[in-house]
Amino acid sequence: MCIRDRLNIMGKNKNNQPIWNTRIKKETKNLFKKVGGSLEIDKRLFREDIEASIVHVEMLFRQKIINFKIKNKIVWGLNRIKNEIIKKKFIFDDKLEDIHMNIEHRLFELIGEEAGYIHTARSRNDQVVTDFKMWLRKANKEIAKNIDATIKNILKKAEKNVETIMPGFTHLKNAQPVSFAHYLMAYLEMFNRDKKRFKNNLESLNENPLGVAALTGTSFKIDRFYTSKKLGFHRPTKNSIDTVSDRDFVIDFLYSCSACAVHISRIAEEFIIWNSDAFKLINLNDKIVTGSSIMPQKKNPDPLEYLRGKTGFMFGNLFSMLTTLKGLPLSYFKDLQDDKEIVFKSFDQLKNSLIILNDVLKNFSPDKKRMIELAESGYITATDLADYMVRELNYPFRKAYLQTAKIINLAEKNKKKLSELTIQEINKIEKGLTSDVLKVFELKKSVNSKVSYGGTSFDNIKKMILSYKKK
Ligand code: ARG
């Protein structure tokens, strides 16, 4: 059956001409016909499309716009189409541009001309945003669920590593000792914010586009509050022109994906550094490394590099959408068709990235000995010494800072760690100190002294882990 015949089934006008060919006489047989469609992409919306169409015709019946018999026929046809698609028996035709036209076309095949009542008081412009918002509602929830798994994996690792001490870094230079669990819990905070971001997006998906038709609304007495309720929206959108051209909810989603990808990329990068032969702070087990084709000794952190790399792809998608919208006049334009491809790609990618990150989190271990070894270098307890002088000698912090710097210079000159200095050496610079000061150089003491809320003391971390576990 040629395209013209297929389209012809969909309906005839008064003069018995097919609706589609009433004005457009020539069939487009050019490249655009091939690439201008979106079927391969928006097939994914078939469930939402059918659900929304069923609610739409039920509303048309309640409002006495179509009769009971027609409504039932259409609902029957739509349910059958849904089953055909699920059972892979549906024959898609990419000449029919998108999923919406494919379903409508099949409905004509199944129930004849009465199928044409389905498009009363609606346009593909509102149809497509309705389906898309419904799909995104599920997508936001699904990503939030995947992030939850990440949070759980982090919690598990943190629980086992409360007393694992490592150097905390600023500028990638040893700064102050921290608990490895505290470090992991920093990522938990980030992913928790990501989860909230995806959940908050549900708010911007609350308004129902269905019924604004092409851009003006409709002269039929439809009930948009009914369809809103039935489709799980809180209320109808308020301006028909805005509704068909708004893709803010898409930007929200893509931004959320990008922010989450940033966090994934940061932890990936950090693990790559720590796994390097220079740092050796963590080990990746064989499940999450790959070999080299030439260097037999290699175990490369490819999955981590993949995670870091894919973040750029995610930003690209956000920027594609922003660029599409920038300068786009009201209301609907073909440009907007790309929104779905961009979103589906970001969704699939982020989901994969989260799953891979979860694999990494389950298959790495900290090298506790090496962490301590590194933490013992770089005068990492210098700040503890300054704090000690403030407390014990009642010095202003700036004075204590200067005295500490002098003591570090001495240690450096004598090629000693701070903990290797004798009290006599220290007294050469600061007379007021007794041998009691030497305890501040102990890493564990240092970590445990950070009892301020949110600090790295073991007790703080244990409480934090517990409170997240309860959630
Ligand atoms: N395939 C189109 C899309 O995905 C459907 C909307 C078409 N509307 C229109 N006026 N051409 O955006």
Side-chain angles (χ1 to χ4, degrees):
M1 198 190 287
C2 79
I3 169 71
R4 195 166 281 244
D5 291 336
R6 288 189 75 99
L7 291 172
N8 285 356
I9 301 179
M10 291 174 86
K12 311 257 182 193
N13 68 10
K14 264 195 198 152
N15 306 323
N16 206 27
Q17 288 169 304
I19 295 286
W20 285 71
N21 296 358
T22 309
R23 298 220 349 103
I24 301 173
K25 304 285 183 201
K26 292 208 172 100
E27 193 182 333
T28 12
K29 266 204 178 120
N30 48 29
L31 180 63
F32 173 71
K33 192 77 193 165
K34 200 170 155 218
V35 299
S38 56
L39 178 65
E40 272 319 303
I41 307 289
D42 56 31
K43 262 180 191 173
R44 274 174 95 153
L45 294 175
F46 82 90
R47 284 174 204 277
E48 291 75 13
D49 195 65
I50 287 172
E51 188 185 341
S53 287
I54 289 177
V55 169
H56 178 65
V57 292
E58 269 162 2
M59 180 278 293
L60 292 177
F61 162 66
R62 272 170 61 100
Q63 298 301 105
K64 304 193 168 59
I65 297 166
I66 60 171
N67 72 37
F68 186 66
K69 215 180 103 221
I70 291 170
K71 188 260 305 185
N72 279 351
K73 262 189 169 174
I74 294 177
V75 171
W76 172 86
L78 289 170
N79 278 323
R80 188 176 152 148
I81 292 169
K82 185 166 81 180
N83 278 331
E84 287 177 357
I85 299 178
I86 291 170
K87 293 197 175 123
K88 303 204 180 336
K89 288 197 176 124
F90 188 92
I91 301 164
F92 289 100
D93 182 349
D94 56 12
K95 291 188 205 80
L96 295 169
E97 188 179 323
D98 56 27
I99 186 67
H100 321 291
M101 300 315 296
N102 268 268
I103 290 175
E104 190 175 326
H105 176 266
R106 178 70 182 135
L107 194 63
F108 272 89
E109 282 181 344
L110 286 172
I111 67 169
E113 202 189 25
E114 281 163 340
Y117 284 101
I118 195 177
H119 218 51
T120 317
R122 96 175 171 185
S123 144
R124 265 186 307 161
N125 295 353
D126 57 339
Q127 192 180 351
V128 76
V129 243
T130 305
D131 297 356
F132 200 23
K133 278 189 173 183
M134 287 165 68
W135 187 89
L136 267 166
R137 217 158 45 195
K138 291 183 210 158
N140 275 290
K141 286 182 193 159
E142 193 167 336
I143 295 287
K145 224 175 70 192
N146 278 274
I147 296 177
D148 243 340
T150 306
I151 289 177
K152 279 190 191 126
N153 282 322
I154 293 179
L155 268 179
K156 265 192 207 155
K157 264 279 171 341
E159 241 184 327
K160 287 193 194 128
N161 284 289
V162 174
E163 308 211 353
T164 305
I165 292 172
M166 63 171 284
F169 306 99
T170 60
H171 312 271
L172 212 50
K173 299 280 284 176
N174 281 11
Q176 291 181 274
V178 294
S179 151
F180 181 49
H182 197 51
Y183 165 87
L184 288 170
M185 295 293 282
Y187 277 101
L188 185 143
E189 291 295 325
M190 293 178 224
F191 289 118
N192 205 39
R193 286 195 292 274
D194 290 333
K195 193 173 103 182
K196 274 192 205 146
R197 213 170 280 119
F198 283 104
K199 286 197 164 166
N200 289 344
N201 289 344
L202 296 176
E203 187 55 37
S204 57
L205 291 167
N206 260 342
E207 295 192 337
N208 174 21
L210 193 59
V212 303
L215 78 160
T216 57
T218 171
S219 56
F220 291 98
K221 284 214 164 53
I222 59 170
D223 184 352
R224 297 189 62 213
F225 289 89
Y226 173 82
T227 54
S228 298
K229 204 173 138 206
K230 287 284 167 184
L231 293 174
F233 292 101
H234 288 191
R235 55 191 164 268
T237 53
K238 297 183 189 75
N239 180 295
S240 56
I241 301 176
D242 173 53
T243 304
V244 294
S245 64
D246 165 38
R247 294 296 184 277
D248 291 358
F249 60 95
V250 175
I251 296 173
D252 289 342
F253 180 75
L254 295 171
Y255 169 69
S256 307
C257 291
S258 296
C260 186
V262 169
H263 299 147
I264 294 174
S265 182
R266 289 182 79 170
I267 196 167
E269 168 65 4
E270 207 138 32
F271 278 24
I272 290 167
I273 294 173
W274 293 3
N275 180 245
S276 70
D277 294 317
F279 272 77
K280 287 186 186 152
L281 290 182
I282 57 168
N283 299 310
L284 307 179
N285 79 25
D286 285 0
K287 285 189 193 152
I288 48 164
V289 291
T290 54
S292 152
S293 61
I294 176 170
M295 298 168 282
Q297 85 281 15
K298 290 282 249 168
K299 287 189 176 186
N300 292 329
D302 272 30
L304 290 166
E305 292 162 22
Y306 168 93
L307 293 175
R308 184 181 56 190
K310 286 298 178 196
T311 304
F313 171 91
M314 216 73 91
F315 296 175
N317 290 345
L318 170 62
F319 273 82
S320 293
M321 195 66 226
L322 288 169
T323 311
T324 295
L325 292 174
K326 174 190 171 295
L328 198 70
L330 300 179
S331 58
Y332 179 86
F333 289 90
K334 184 78 171 173
D335 311 41
L336 294 170
Q337 180 172 276
D338 281 339
D339 57 358
K340 287 164 290 293
E341 181 171 6
I342 295 169
V343 161
F344 293 160
K345 279 182 175 167
S346 278
F347 171 83
D348 292 341
Q349 185 54 54
L350 186 59
K351 216 178 131 183
N352 284 346
S353 290
L354 285 164
I355 292 170
I356 292 170
L357 175 63
N358 283 334
D359 277 342
V360 171
L361 288 169
K362 283 184 202 153
N363 289 293
F364 88 98
S365 53
D367 184 334
K368 298 183 185 182
K369 249 179 78 190
R370 171 69 189 139
M371 281 182 166
I372 294 272
E373 188 182 288
L374 190 62
E376 267 165 357
S377 68
Y379 313 108
I380 201 167
T381 47
T383 315
D384 298 283
L385 176 57
D387 287 352
Y388 180 86
M389 284 190 231
V390 170
R391 239 177 287 113
E392 299 300 319
L393 307 179
N394 221 0
Y395 283 176
F397 182 78
R398 281 292 165 237
K399 182 173 175 184
Y401 176 102
L402 276 176
Q403 291 300 84
T404 303
K406 285 183 196 160
I407 293 171
I408 295 170
N409 285 343
L410 178 78
E412 201 173 41
K413 211 177 98 197
N414 296 350
K415 297 198 167 45
K416 284 183 166 184
K417 294 177 182 165
L418 284 177
S419 58
E420 289 164 354
L421 288 174
T422 63
I423 186 64
Q424 289 78 13
E425 284 170 307
I426 292 173
N427 282 150
K428 271 186 217 151
I429 288 159
E430 182 48 66
K431 286 193 189 56
L433 293 171
T434 67
S435 56
D436 181 61
V437 70
L438 300 175
K439 69 174 189 233
V440 303
F441 302 129
E442 281 169 43
L443 295 177
K444 192 170 166 184
K445 277 238 165 62
S446 165
V447 172
N448 266 325
S449 69
K450 308 302 182 322
V451 291
S452 57
Y453 187 83
T456 188
S457 76
F458 296 167
D459 274 354
N460 270 357
I461 301 167
K462 281 178 197 155
K463 274 185 208 147
M464 214 41 101
I465 291 176
L466 207 70
S467 85
Y468 273 110
K469 273 180 84 177
K470 275 185 199 150
K471 276 183 213 162

